Amino acid sequence: MNIGNDILTALPEIFLACSAIALLMLGVFRGEGSSRLIMTLSVTALIVTLGLLLMGPTRNTSAFNDLFANDGFGDFMKMLVLIGAALTMVMAQRYIEREQMARFELPVLLLFSTVGMLMMISANDLIALYMGVELQSLALYVVAAIRRDTLRSSEAGLKYFVLGSLSSGMLLYGLSMIYGFTGTTNFTTLAEIFANGGEVSLGLTVGLVFLSAGLAFKISAVPFHMWTPDVYEGAPTAITAFFAVAPKIAGLALFVRVLMGPFGELVDQWQQIIVFIAVASMLVGALAAIAQNNIKRLMAYSSIGNMGYALVGLAAGTQEGIRAVGVYMAIYLFMNVGTFAVILCMRVNDRMVERIDDLKGLSRTNPLIALALAIFMFSMAGIPPLAGFFGKLYVFLAAVESGLYILAVIGVLTSVISAFYYLRIIKVMYFDEPSEAFDQPIGREMAVVLTATSVIVLLFFIMPSPILESASAAAEAFFPAGP
Amino acid sequence: MVVQALAFYLFAAVVVASAMMVIAARNPVHSVLFLILAFFNSAGLFVLMGAEFLAMILVVVYVGAVAVLFLFVVMMLDVDVTQIKHGFLQYLPVGVLIGLILLIELAMVAGAWVAVPEAQSVAQIPFSPGGDVTNTQALGAVLYDRYVYLFQAAGLILLVAMIGAIVLTLRTREGVRKQSISDQISRRTEDSVEVKDVPSGGGV
């Protein structure tokens, strides 16, 4: 084993883990007042990690006895995760200072969680997969409950923890079944076994179902979505923004890697499961969101629905499908970061408000924020020519091409239903009588994030090639002999 | 061989019996003590199998640390068994049902067991690589060499757990009087004693 080579292969992860530990030490020695410094350094560490990832010459390599794998797909998804984590942390600083929850452990925990996400994406072994998932979730449980003195935050943390442990149990049960019936935990070996026509026993299928259930919980796909609205509502808003972006992308990437990598030959076994989960998620996401008055709960259901659309691409199981998942997640990242930036700006008289009614007449009291939110909502509803339309378009095209017509039709229908509540927000902002205006100014970093994300979402159709091409390159990782 | 077989049955019987007592005992403290007994006898079973390192670790970690911790927690929590047993019958059917389903699944797994050729190679990973390698060395080779990535990952998870526990529970209390030795030593007479010149005969 060449340890130098291994370290080089996993350099972004190792760097991020080491900087998290270093920042923890710095925080401990500098005391409570160092929150802002640690947050700044954490964001810097994420950016450096992104740089290391982009410069990394290693493609299609594995390290640490084949426990860890790098490929184009992993690089693309890691990029999205790092961007999402960095943007949400930039937005979080002002919020956590105003809400008196500025503690240096918060950015450190978020960094550890990000390390877990990178490990999930690069996992090439069932044990490595589990380790990544646990590192990611454990840090998030703590972060959800970080406002330990408020009832709702503690409740959110506890709920997340209990249900998360349950899903970890299911995941482990599935993993042990797969190990028992194949004799290996390594993804490469598993793929070889099935490629050589290895027998698929009932026990293996059961294991695969449990594995899918555990992963579906992590991305909050129906029927494992119960925790999402409560946790999103209870957790501090800045943390909710983090929850809604990076872990979702990492979870979905892991889902894709597990099903397309080692179990790629078993499409017949898992396609039904994914189709069901996708349909259920799209339906619940569309229907349950209609009755919501709280914008954080609304975003929770919206993210459930979005996961459903992304899973449609996975259900297709083709190169186009995986490319569509990549494109969808990239667009989802920018739409969600932007929307949460607006939600973080919802302050009246120095107090956070989160009801949809609080947005009344925003177009008159604060036309720019209203315009940005309108762009994101139109995009989520899938109105052309905004980015969200293209995300859905590619996903549905992939489904149609692999013959899943019903799935595509249901997708379009739920998309129309969900347009109702997205458009309702726009109606509230533009046609209702103004209520109290939001506090000004919103802060420079918020303005930058809002401008950047809304420009990306708005002008995606003019220059779609960077995202499309990198998503195509990512999808090729699973189809080495593909076109 | 006979001695070994006898020892095995003795240890095994005590493990099973004390494990039963762990869940059957009325007093939670007794449960923990039976748990310790079960750990000790499992360590004996490990020794019989030639895994002396695991045996010692079991005693040191589980008996020495975990069980004692349990004991403290049980004593501090003041567990009321009747309170816990309340509602037991109400949840029994659901619990039995879930247990039954899992049992059937396990039986199906056991029934459908087929060893793939790859399992052979995994089973052949030697737990003592032959020669004079002790099983401490063999474990070290697996843990710190072959699976070093997972070992480090587990370390990170434990670190996060520790940070989490501190973040969620540590409170700095106000008004606690602490001894500061440096302050005590650097105290001088001038700081604490004031010499008053009292005129004689003038009263205080």
Side-chain angles (χ1 to χ4, degrees):
Chain A
M1 186 172 84
N2 183 356
I3 192 79
N5 202 18
D6 286 352
I7 289 177
L8 206 63
T9 312
L11 192 59
E13 285 80 4
I14 294 174
F15 171 78
L16 197 59
C18 290
S19 41
I21 294 170
L23 290 179
L24 177 66
M25 294 305 288
L26 185 68
V28 170
F29 281 112
R30 301 234 346 187
E32 280 301 323
S34 55
S35 156
R36 175 176 280 267
L37 173 74
I38 304 274
M39 185 64 96
T40 318
L41 288 177
S42 300
V43 175
T44 320
L46 285 173
I47 294 169
V48 173
T49 311
L50 188 63
L52 289 174
L53 189 72
L54 292 178
M55 285 191 310
T58 45
R59 293 282 178 281
N60 299 322
T61 47
S62 63
F64 299 110
N65 287 311
D66 218 13
L67 292 169
F68 180 96
N70 260 344
D71 56 15
F73 177 75
D75 286 352
F76 179 70
M77 285 301 184
K78 281 182 197 172
M79 217 164 68
L80 295 187
V81 165
L82 288 171
I83 294 174
L87 285 180
T88 40
M89 279 166 80
V90 167
M91 298 193 306
Q93 180 57 33
R94 189 176 294 262
Y95 174 86
I96 62 174
E97 276 175 11
R98 277 192 294 214
E99 298 289 310
Q100 277 102 39
M101 45 182 273
R103 314 183 56 177
F104 71 87
E105 290 98 341
L106 183 67
V108 172
L109 284 170
L110 292 181
L111 278 193
F112 276 121
S113 168
T114 314
V115 174
M117 291 173 211
L118 301 186
M119 287 170 60
M120 277 160 72
I121 297 175
S122 268
N124 198 37
D125 192 285
L126 296 178
I127 312 176
L129 173 161
Y130 181 69
M131 287 293 185
V133 168
E134 275 309 290
L135 181 57
Q136 184 255 134
S137 343
L138 198 58
L140 293 187
Y141 303 149
V142 179
V143 166
I146 194 107
R147 299 195 69 185
R148 58 189 187 184
D149 298 322
T150 63
L151 187 64
R152 289 202 316 172
S153 176
S154 316
E155 183 195 327
L158 199 61
K159 241 176 210 169
Y160 198 12
F161 174 65
V162 172
L163 292 173
S165 322
L166 187 73
S167 83
S168 287
M170 288 199 285
L171 195 65
L172 275 180
Y173 193 53
L175 299 185
S176 65
M177 299 269 259
I178 293 170
Y179 175 55
F181 278 90
T182 57
T184 178
T185 56
N186 189 277
F187 284 0
T188 322
T189 323
L190 278 171
E192 277 167 18
I193 293 176
F194 299 126
N196 299 332
E199 199 184 335
V200 181
S201 48
L202 181 64
L204 181 71
T205 314
V206 173
L208 196 53
V209 171
F210 271 100
L211 174 64
S212 308
L215 291 180
F217 179 93
K218 296 294 174 199
I219 60 168
S220 72
V222 181
F224 306 100
H225 65 290
M226 309 300 183
W227 57 277
T228 322
D230 290 345
V231 172
Y232 274 37
E233 191 189 359
T237 310
I239 305 300
T240 311
F242 189 85
F243 282 175
V245 181
K248 288 287 173 71
I249 297 173
L252 199 74
L254 181 62
F255 220 152
V256 171
R257 178 180 295 286
V258 169
L259 293 185
M260 296 304 294
F263 302 109
E265 299 288 326
L266 306 184
V267 177
D268 304 338
Q269 304 280 328
W270 53 257
Q271 196 171 36
Q272 279 176 328
I273 307 174
I274 301 300
V275 167
F276 170 75
I277 294 180
V279 169
S281 304
M282 291 189 295
L283 282 176
V284 169
L287 297 177
I290 293 176
Q292 302 306 323
N293 291 320
N294 182 306
I295 190 142
K296 279 159 81 183
R297 284 187 90 85
L298 182 96
M299 288 308 292
Y301 284 107
S302 153
S303 92
I304 293 172
N306 275 316
M307 284 300 130
Y309 294 116
L311 285 175
V312 170
L314 175 58
T318 55
Q319 189 166 350
E320 284 72 35
I322 303 307
R323 186 182 75 148
V325 174
V327 175
Y328 197 90
M329 289 324 284
I331 292 169
Y332 170 83
L333 162 74
F334 292 114
M335 288 191 307
N336 254 42
V337 167
T339 312
F340 272 100
V342 175
I343 297 176
L344 282 169
C345 294
M346 289 172 63
R347 294 180 67 81
V348 174
N349 298 332
D350 240 8
R351 213 167 43 78
M352 293 300 292
V353 290
E354 46 194 46
R355 283 181 309 129
I356 292 175
D357 287 346
D358 294 319
L359 288 167
K360 271 185 184 169
L362 189 64
S363 62
R364 266 159 283 173
T365 53
N366 200 329
L368 283 177
I369 294 184
L371 179 67
L373 189 56
I375 290 173
F376 299 130
M377 289 299 129
F378 273 129
S379 171
M380 289 215 194
I383 312 278
L386 296 168
F389 166 73
F390 290 97
K392 286 183 176 161
L393 179 70
Y394 286 118
V395 167
F396 294 147
L397 275 182
V400 168
E401 272 171 26
S402 46
L404 299 168
Y405 299 109
I406 299 176
L407 188 59
V409 170
I410 295 177
V412 173
L413 286 181
T414 52
S415 179
V416 172
I417 299 173
S418 61
F420 165 74
Y421 60 82
Y422 291 130
L423 295 183
R424 185 172 61 136
I425 293 182
I426 298 174
K427 175 238 164 201
V428 167
M429 287 192 305
Y430 278 86
F431 299 109
D432 283 4
E433 281 308 307
S435 53
E436 279 187 280
F438 291 162
D439 292 358
Q440 296 274 19
I442 58 172
R444 197 157 9 111
E445 77 282 358
M446 283 297 185
V448 171
V449 169
L450 265 179
T451 319
T453 47
S454 47
V455 165
I456 291 174
V457 170
L458 189 62
L459 300 182
F460 171 78
F461 72 100
I462 294 178
M463 247 188 59
S465 53
I467 292 181
L468 284 188
E469 274 163 21
S470 29
S472 301
E476 273 167 25
F478 296 110
F479 300 90
Chain B
M1 284 311 279
V2 179
V3 179
Q4 249 189 0
L6 275 179
F8 170 77
Y9 285 116
L10 177 71
F11 285 138
V14 177
V15 169
V16 174
S18 51
M20 279 299 294
M21 287 308 290
V22 171
I23 44 176
R26 282 195 165 276
N27 188 333
V29 177
H30 291 174
S31 288
V32 178
L33 292 178
F34 275 115
L35 191 67
I36 294 176
L37 186 61
F39 283 149
F40 262 113
N41 285 280
S42 321
L45 287 175
F46 274 130
V47 171
L48 284 182
M49 278 161 47
E52 73 275 357
F53 182 76
L54 277 185
M56 294 309 133
I57 281 293
L58 193 70
V59 172
V60 171
V61 175
Y62 277 88
V63 178
V66 177
V68 172
L69 201 69
F70 275 3
L71 208 54
F72 269 107
V73 171
V74 165
M75 286 175 173
M76 283 162 94
L77 280 186
D78 188 25
V79 185
D80 188 354
V81 181
T82 48
Q83 185 70 36
I84 293 174
K85 292 234 170 107
H86 180 77
F88 177 69
L89 279 178
Q90 191 185 341
Y91 297 116
L92 190 65
V94 182
V96 169
L97 186 71
I98 293 175
L100 208 64
I101 293 172
L102 287 178
L103 192 68
I104 292 171
E105 281 176 354
L106 276 176
M108 273 161 47
V109 172
W113 183 268
V114 243
V116 287
E118 282 74 12
Q120 290 288 326
S121 61
V122 175
Q124 276 164 3
I125 294 173
F127 53 83
S128 83
D132 285 336
V133 181
T134 64
N135 61 48
T136 315
Q137 279 173 315
L139 267 178
V142 172
L143 205 56
Y144 302 123
D145 191 12
R146 186 179 163 81
Y147 292 125
V148 63
Y149 175 65
L150 303 176
F151 183 74
Q152 294 292 339
L156 283 184
I157 294 175
L158 289 178
L159 178 63
V160 167
M162 197 182 79
I163 301 173
I166 294 174
V167 167
L168 295 182
T169 56
L170 185 73
R171 284 161 207 276
T172 42
R173 283 164 58 196
E174 298 292 326
V176 182
R177 289 170 186 275
K178 278 190 194 153
Q179 185 180 26
S180 169
I181 294 175
S182 60
D183 281 358
Q184 290 176 341
I185 292 175
S186 58
R187 211 169 146 93
R188 289 168 306 165
T189 324
E190 300 87 75
D191 299 337
S192 42
V193 182
E194 196 178 339
V195 183
K196 292 270 189 194
D197 194 11
V198 182
S200 52
V204 181

